[in-house]
Amino acid sequence: MNKALRPAVIAGNWKMNKTRSEAKALLEELRPLCKDAGCQVIVCVPFTDLETAVAACQGSNITVAAQNCHWAASGAFTGEISAGMLAEMGVRWTIVGHSERRQYFGETDETVNKRIRAALDQGLGVILCVGELLSQREAGITAEVVSLQTKAALQGVSAQEMGRIILAYEPVWAIGTGKTATAQQAGEVCGILRGVLEQLYGSQVAQAATIQYGGSMNAGNAAELLAQEDVDGGLIGGASLKAPDFAAIIQAASR
Ligand code: PGA
């Protein structure tokens, strides 16, 4: 299978931005701008915006995702949200393992794996984030780091379930810094990740998998990044907070 046959997916990661009224306004502005999108469009919104976003995206081609979920079905986990709670409210996807969660909230490869398992068990799709620190890139161990993160995260995930996993390569040094990986760097690591999927699941699953790049992707650099053979989409932070900017990236990914 070649790139043209894989689903292109552009996902906006709003992080901790937008109140409910702001979310509604942004989605109302975005809806008409992406109604003819030739790619899949996902918005990953704060928990408090989920209900508003699901309602605002009804009947559109925008799918709503959360930014995290807990691994337990319920229980004494103050401040957490379970995958079942998300699924029941019409949420279809969740990000798991974003570097900000790894960096600031103690997320480990083990907890990433548990969260993915819970999300899949509740019927959610997962955008799994992996990526190296600047020091790891400089030490020449990028391939090892992202391979290990991917293998650890996908333990116990079946080949069939891989249809509900999007892999997002997000070099930590490129997130929110304005410092994008070059198209060549992004393409190279996304290719390494496809190789890892091939090792784990065989060539058919690897070739069908959607692999995104994330890290300061914007309207100006999206086309070049998305032209790479192994880059099938983007996970966009800052540039997803303004409808025209996000729509321009969606346009660049449309086939
Ligand atoms: P950025 O964030 O586009 O603002 O760099 C990307 C992400 O963290 O998903």
Side-chain angles (χ1 to χ4, degrees), residues 131-142 171-174 179 185:
E132 83 287 4
L133 305 169
L134 183 59
S135 58
Q136 293 167 328
R137 174 162 283 271
E138 285 171 351
I141 56 170
T142 296
V172 180
W173 48 271
K179 210 174 158 187
Q185 286 171 326

Side-chain angles (χ1 to χ4, degrees), residues 13 15 98 100 170 174-176 215-217 235-238:
N13 175 11
K15 309 192 180 186
H98 191 277
E100 285 150 16
E170 297 210 310
I175 295 177
S216 301
M217 191 189 270
L235 181 56
I236 292 94

Side-chain angles (χ1 to χ4, degrees), residues 78-99:
T78 302
E80 291 292 322
I81 302 286
S82 75
M85 291 170 175
L86 299 174
E88 197 215 54
M89 65 191 301
V91 173
R92 306 267 305 280
W93 291 83
T94 183
I95 296 175
V96 175
H98 191 277
S99 67

